[in-house]
Amino acid sequence: MSKNASAVKKFRISLRNKRRNKSYKSAVKTLTKKCVSSLASKLKINNSYEYILELSVLYKKIDKAVSKGVLHKNNGARKKSLLAKAVKNLVA
């Protein structure tokens, strides 16, 4: 461990950012898996309104992660695009 005060502070900041980034990434992954797994069952029931709500929550979480700098903007756009494509393929 460094004795330099600025190095110690930088280390603490990196740990804080690591925790924040991990929580956002974990939430995005969890919501994505939840939406994709429930997509087929929701379409069988013909209750797409609930799925649209789940999808909007996921989009909001991805946008929040992009705005916080956790995800790159192209990465967030790619995730949303793949979700939209999956919905379109299963609906059609």
Side-chain angles (χ1 to χ4, degrees):
M1 191 70 186
S2 177
K3 293 182 181 179
N4 189 345
S6 63
V8 172
K9 183 177 180 183
K10 186 71 175 171
F11 180 71
R12 283 197 319 255
I13 290 170
S14 71
L15 290 179
R16 180 195 68 201
N17 291 344
K18 182 180 177 182
R19 284 192 302 266
R20 184 188 68 207
N21 292 346
K22 187 171 176 126
S23 70
Y24 273 103
K25 286 182 181 183
S26 175
V28 167
K29 286 179 188 178
T30 302
L31 288 171
T32 302
K33 289 177 186 176
K34 190 176 179 183
C35 283
V36 170
S37 67
S38 68
L39 178 62
S41 63
K42 297 261 191 240
L43 289 177
K44 288 178 185 173
I45 300 171
N46 292 329
N47 192 357
S48 60
Y49 180 71
E50 289 180 24
Y51 182 72
I52 291 171
L53 286 177
E54 287 181 9
L55 193 62
S56 67
V57 168
L58 178 56
Y59 274 20
K60 186 175 180 180
K61 187 59 98 173
I62 291 172
D63 290 337
K64 188 75 140 179
V66 168
S67 70
K68 296 287 186 182
V70 176
L71 298 176
H72 190 271
K73 65 178 183 174
N74 292 347
N75 190 345
R78 185 173 64 243
K79 287 181 185 299
K80 293 195 300 187
S81 173
L82 289 173
L83 286 167
K85 190 185 290 186
V87 170
K88 183 178 177 184
N89 288 342
L90 287 173
V91 169

